[in-house]
Amino acid sequence: MASCTVHTAPYSFHCGSISRPAAKAFSLGFHQKHQQFIFFSSRRRRAVVCSAVEKTVVIGLAADSGCGKSTFMRRLTSVFGGAAEPPKGGNPDSNTLISDTTTVICLDDYHSLDRTGRKEKGVTALDPRANDFDLMYEQVKAIKDGVAVEKPIYNHVTGLLDPPELIKPPKILVIEGLHPMYDSRVRDLLDFSIYLDISNEVKFAWKIQRDMAERGHSLESIKASIEARKPDFDAYIDPQKQYADAVIEVLPTQLIPDDDEGKVLRVRLIMKEGVKRFAPIYLFDEGSTISWIPCGRKLTCSYPGIKFFYGPETYFSNEVSVLEMDGKFDRLDELIYMESHLSNLSTKFYGEVTQQMLKHSDFPGSNNGTGLFQTIIGLKIRDLYEQIVAERAAATAAAAKV
Amino acid sequence: MATAAAAGVSLSGPIRTVPVAKAELLGRKPVRIGQLLPLQRRAAAGRGRVVVVGSAQSSTPPEISEKVEESIKKAEEACAGDPVSGECAAAWDEVEELSAAASHAREALKANSDPLENYCKDNPETDECRTYDN
């Protein structure tokens, strides 16, 4: 898809890929995307620059759980089709995932200090001093403009910075890590941003499940590890919540008193109002407050049941809509029943959310709000991408008429 | 006998037939012996013997497992002096990073444990790997 922009002299090139002077403006395309053709109209001193470069759509995801292999990423890439895999033939410890339409890069690759460096200086990876935001901004901007970059690799196993790998601009770029919205320049490049907010109790329960089988770990060491990181987390990572277009908050359930296993969860999807190309999901009546328990005569649920809540709220002085699900579902008909009552899901056919959830029923969170909302956000991002593509096509058509 | 080894494993107990794909017979992708060990364990358990399966749950690769252990010890030492220092936080951050890497490695191991799946990922058009969806 080509987009044409009309320039009056002096003209500048939008695409950074060709930096040759105007006289030699034909690129013999080694890469289809970077072809540029300049047509000079002799009547008026105007040059119509048509470039076949599409600007990459950039999505930011703030999460504390390591990179690229997280469930959210796998669900997201699955919505677009295809499985995301590490780049073939490259560094086996690469954090990048590539599928047909999406590339996921891990922001840990922009650490300026490796593990030893951080130990010497006494900073955690959460600290902005351990990250090179200038490089992050440069490279994300370059990819957005259609230029391939050599991105460094941070090896999580050795703790060292490995030689860089080539990242070609994809249709959709997802930057996942601790600081996607920390730097304001990077924040402005994002077309959509998500923050995954896990509450302390749930984080503790999950880390116990993850680490208890590990030799050397004990309850105390897991607790100490969370406590030691908390100050930096609260100072640098948590404030990014206010900038996110969507926040997925994971809290302990209110349906079971004193539950500490973290198996039944209360998940809130907080959606900012007024975000371009993003229409928040609602239950029954947009803008009203609804409390809904689907289990009853038509639907039988197992203990502890399911409870929904929807309503407008204020979140860090932003107007938001919140959709909340507490409980877990374990049958297909519960899921399809819930899906049929939610609106603005941006599905392409009835039952698409259920189908996506079933496709990945072995992923964690597949029976509660985490999987449900991650899947729905994936569909919303697909909708956002398609809107952008449609806008570009309309712009091309309009420019061509000139 | 050589033929038994080539065709599969014969156990004097409940036998689970290992599907021998054409690929293996043609010598392209032999079943790894390591894959057969769990059969023996299961067969032995079926006969009523108590078999200690060992640390089969935490199947983390040993190098990463060691690193995690070391880092925990170092973190405890670093924090023994001053629990609110930057060094203490950095040490526990390292523990967190390594634990995450360990859990990813465990997942990767689980995902890569089926030789047929691995073969089919790279060669989906071969006879044994074709799926008929419609």
Side-chain angles (χ1 to χ4, degrees):
Chain A
M1 221 162 288
S3 66
C4 302
T5 45
V6 179
H7 295 277
T8 47
Y11 34 77
S12 58
F13 291 95
H14 258 293
C15 320
S17 57
I18 315 278
S19 53
R20 297 178 215 157
K24 295 191 278 174
F26 295 99
S27 89
L28 301 165
F30 50 88
H31 197 277
Q32 204 180 351
K33 271 182 149 198
H34 298 284
Q35 277 178 344
Q36 279 191 328
F37 302 91
I38 306 219
F39 304 94
F40 287 92
S41 155
S42 52
R43 278 172 291 139
R44 280 174 285 184
R45 289 259 175 90
R46 257 204 237 174
V48 178
V49 179
C50 291
S51 73
V53 173
E54 289 179 341
K55 281 198 149 194
T56 303
V57 173
V58 185
I59 312 284
L61 172 65
D64 188 19
S65 58
C67 280
K69 296 137 185 121
S70 69
T71 319
F72 198 157
M73 278 303 102
R74 290 188 283 174
R75 286 193 202 273
L76 183 58
T77 43
S78 156
V79 163
F80 286 100
E85 312 238 318
K88 287 195 174 28
N91 187 331
D93 291 322
S94 160
N95 303 307
T96 311
L97 289 178
I98 301 187
S99 79
D100 301 326
T101 40
T102 342
T103 293
V104 184
I105 61 177
C106 173
L107 292 179
D108 284 355
D109 292 333
Y110 293 110
H111 279 331
S112 50
L113 299 170
D114 64 7
R115 207 177 283 158
T116 354
R118 276 179 272 144
K119 244 200 292 209
E120 280 166 23
K121 292 227 169 125
V123 295
T124 61
L126 307 161
D127 197 313
R129 288 175 287 170
N131 297 287
D132 187 351
F133 289 105
D134 294 325
L135 184 63
M136 190 192 293
Y137 169 64
E138 252 178 60
Q139 294 204 333
V140 176
K141 185 164 198 304
I143 297 178
K144 186 159 185 160
D145 289 335
V147 182
V149 299
E150 291 273 351
K151 178 191 63 73
I153 299 178
Y154 176 74
N155 190 321
H156 283 98
V157 179
T158 60
L160 303 166
L161 285 159
D162 287 347
E165 61 183 347
L166 181 70
I167 304 287
K168 295 203 218 66
K171 295 206 181 102
I172 299 167
L173 175 73
V174 184
I175 57 173
E176 183 190 13
L178 295 162
H179 306 97
M181 295 165 260
Y182 186 82
D183 187 280
S184 56
R185 302 166 293 176
V186 179
R187 217 182 300 148
D188 291 334
L189 293 173
L190 301 176
D191 292 294
F192 193 74
S193 51
I194 307 149
Y195 183 91
L196 196 52
D197 181 13
I198 319 285
S199 79
N200 295 318
E201 300 90 343
V202 178
K203 204 183 274 194
F204 189 38
W206 283 0
K207 295 224 163 135
I208 292 178
Q209 277 171 28
R210 186 190 73 179
D211 293 335
M212 272 308 259
E214 199 63 50
R215 262 181 329 177
H217 258 304
S218 63
L219 211 62
E220 290 76 33
S221 67
I222 296 174
K223 209 171 182 187
S225 162
I226 297 181
E227 298 286 317
R229 291 172 90 236
K230 208 162 179 306
D232 275 356
F233 188 85
D234 291 338
Y236 306 120
I237 315 296
D238 212 50
Q240 292 177 89
K241 283 202 282 212
Q242 55 186 306
Y243 303 116
D245 298 318
V247 177
I248 298 184
E249 220 184 309
V250 184
L251 304 155
T253 182
Q254 288 177 331
L255 301 173
I256 305 176
D258 307 320
D259 173 62
D260 58 353
E261 280 178 32
K263 292 241 163 70
V264 182
L265 297 168
R266 176 174 162 227
V267 190
R268 310 179 81 224
L269 177 59
I270 301 170
M271 299 164 280
K272 210 186 255 190
E273 288 288 344
V275 175
K276 206 172 169 199
R277 307 183 191 107
F278 174 61
I281 303 134
Y282 64 89
L283 189 56
F284 177 54
D285 181 20
E286 199 169 6
S288 58
T289 304
I290 312 270
S291 180
W292 181 47
I293 299 176
C295 317
R297 285 198 206 110
K298 270 201 271 183
L299 185 72
T300 25
C301 312
S302 51
Y303 181 77
I306 305 168
K307 204 168 182 192
F308 273 91
F309 168 83
Y310 165 74
E313 279 181 24
T314 321
Y315 187 74
F316 290 102
S317 66
N318 294 320
E319 291 291 315
V320 297
S321 298
V322 180
L323 176 66
E324 180 183 314
M325 174 184 157
D326 195 352
K328 68 175 171 71
F329 47 83
D330 40 27
R331 286 198 334 269
L332 172 61
D333 52 348
E334 289 170 13
L335 190 44
I336 194 81
Y337 191 82
M338 290 183 321
E339 182 180 347
S340 60
H341 287 85
L342 291 168
S343 312
N344 257 351
L345 286 172
S346 304
T347 48
K348 294 213 161 126
F349 52 85
Y350 173 73
E352 190 174 11
V353 174
T354 306
Q355 190 199 65
Q356 281 289 331
M357 296 280 287
L358 285 177
K359 227 198 307 181
H360 304 292
S361 51
D362 54 331
F363 285 5
S366 291
N367 63 348
N368 60 40
T370 48
L372 180 64
F373 292 151
Q374 287 172 5
T375 308
I376 292 176
I377 289 285
L379 296 171
K380 287 308 228 174
I381 291 178
R382 182 183 66 185
D383 181 54
L384 184 133
Y385 172 70
E386 286 169 357
Q387 284 184 47
I388 293 181
V389 165
E391 281 167 21
R392 284 191 197 138
T396 315
K401 279 195 230 134
V402 170
Chain B
M1 294 281 265
T3 43
V9 172
S10 64
L11 299 166
S12 58
I15 295 173
R16 172 174 165 247
T17 37
V18 179
V20 180
K22 217 200 301 177
E24 295 167 62
L25 291 176
L26 294 173
R28 260 185 264 163
K29 189 95 176 113
V31 173
R32 283 187 232 126
I33 298 301
Q35 292 302 113
L36 302 173
L37 289 176
L39 296 175
Q40 292 174 313
R41 270 198 221 125
R42 244 178 276 160
R47 269 178 278 160
R49 275 200 294 173
V50 174
V51 177
V52 177
V53 182
S55 61
Q57 302 103 304
S58 65
S59 50
T60 326
E63 329 84 56
I64 304 188
S65 211
E66 272 177 42
K67 281 201 174 143
V68 173
E69 260 193 285
E70 266 180 56
S71 66
I72 296 176
K73 286 202 203 88
K74 273 194 261 175
E76 283 165 354
E77 283 163 28
C79 295
D82 180 9
V84 291
S85 67
E87 282 78 27
C88 181
W92 282 118
D93 188 42
E94 191 183 328
V95 172
E96 165 62 30
E97 203 187 321
L98 285 167
S99 307
S103 97
H104 289 151
R106 269 193 298 256
E107 272 180 52
L109 267 182
K110 249 194 293 173
N112 283 339
S113 55
D114 186 357
L116 185 63
E117 282 301 322
N118 289 342
Y119 175 69
C120 288
K121 233 193 295 189
D122 298 323
N123 308 282
E125 69 294 339
T126 48
D127 285 340
E128 346 16 67
C129 300
R130 278 180 158 193
T131 46
Y132 300 93
D133 278 333
N134 48 5

